[in-house]
């Protein structure tokens, strides 16, 4: 009897934990709805051009961020703009799985061959421009090390 009670208790705790670590679909819907009401969608090419007007960046880096963050968040990234804040505007901690930053680091390694796991701190990345700048800097410094 005690063992069954423990199993039931563990099950209830795991459900609560799962809810805490999973995306909040209502917040995700609200963010997407707000973006749809106030922003026109951009093609991926136009999206990259908008970022390149703000900061010098490689198209492949921008497309990687576009596709990755859209996949993690469920947000329609064709309506996201360079100065959007990951936490305040896009609600990233709420709309993504709890491990989105780990997945991002893994995907950066798979795409660019760069291990950013030790230096990436999503709490220090405020806007999408910050994220692009961070990743471009990592890619450039990795390239510099390879050329020496």
């Amino acid at each position: 009897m005690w063992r069954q009670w423990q199993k039931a208790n563990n099950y209830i705790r795991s459900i609560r934990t799962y809810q805490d670590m999973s995306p909040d679909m209502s917040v995700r819907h609200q963010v997407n709805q707000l973006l749809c009401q106030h922003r026109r969608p951009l093609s991926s090419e136009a999206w990259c051009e908008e970022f390149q007007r703000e900061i010098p960046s490689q198209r492949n880096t921008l497309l990687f961020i576009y596709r990755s963050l859209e996949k993690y968040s469920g947000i329609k990234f064709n309506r996201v703009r360079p100065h959007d804040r990951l936490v305040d505007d896009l609600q990233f901690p709420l709309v993504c799985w709890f491990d989105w930053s780990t997945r991002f680091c893994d995907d950066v390694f798979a795409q660019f061959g760069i291990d950013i796991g030790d230096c990436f701190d999503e709490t220090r990345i405020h806007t999408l421009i910050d994220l692009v700048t961070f990743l471009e800097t990592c890619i450039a410094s990795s390239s510099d090390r390879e050329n020496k």
Side-chain angles (χ1 to χ4, degrees):
M1 181 71 168
W2 173 251
R3 193 169 179 92
Q4 288 175 333
W5 174 251
Q6 263 186 321
K7 282 183 181 182
N9 203 17
N10 285 342
Y11 180 75
I12 291 169
R13 283 187 184 142
S14 68
I15 289 173
R16 286 184 188 147
T17 302
Y18 181 81
Q19 289 172 345
D20 290 341
M21 297 185 336
S22 63
D24 185 326
M25 297 308 211
S26 65
V27 173
R28 181 183 284 181
H29 178 74
Q30 289 170 5
V31 170
N32 276 321
Q33 204 169 27
L34 188 67
L35 291 172
C36 286
Q37 289 172 356
H38 299 286
R39 308 253 177 95
R40 65 181 176 82
L42 299 175
S43 67
S44 58
E45 190 64 37
W47 193 86
C48 290
E49 289 170 4
E50 184 155 332
F51 272 82
Q52 289 170 329
R53 280 193 293 275
E54 296 285 335
I55 56 169
S57 46
Q58 298 295 315
R59 185 175 185 279
N60 65 332
T61 305
L62 293 170
L63 287 174
F64 171 79
I65 288 173
Y66 178 101
R67 291 180 185 130
S68 298
L69 297 188
E70 184 173 67
K71 179 176 65 174
Y72 309 146
S73 68
I75 292 173
K76 295 174 180 136
F77 255 71
N78 60 351
R79 297 178 188 270
V80 172
R81 302 300 184 256
H83 292 284
D84 285 343
R85 298 167 296 176
L86 290 173
V87 175
D88 296 331
D89 301 324
L90 303 178
Q91 301 292 318
F92 247 62
L94 298 176
V95 302
C96 296
W97 282 94
F98 75 99
D99 65 343
W100 79 267
S101 60
T102 303
R103 291 178 57 204
F104 180 71
C105 293
D106 292 345
D107 290 346
V108 166
F109 185 77
Q111 179 73 26
F112 301 104
I114 301 168
D115 183 2
I116 63 168
D118 290 340
C119 60
F120 182 65
D121 178 1
E122 74 272 14
T123 63
R124 301 186 77 180
I125 305 290
H126 301 288
T127 65
L128 283 170
I129 288 179
D130 295 340
L131 183 59
V132 170
T133 302
F134 169 80
L135 189 52
E136 287 283 344
T137 301
C138 291
I139 292 169
S141 66
S142 173
S143 178
D144 289 345
R145 282 192 301 270
E146 288 175 7
N147 292 333
K148 288 185 180 181

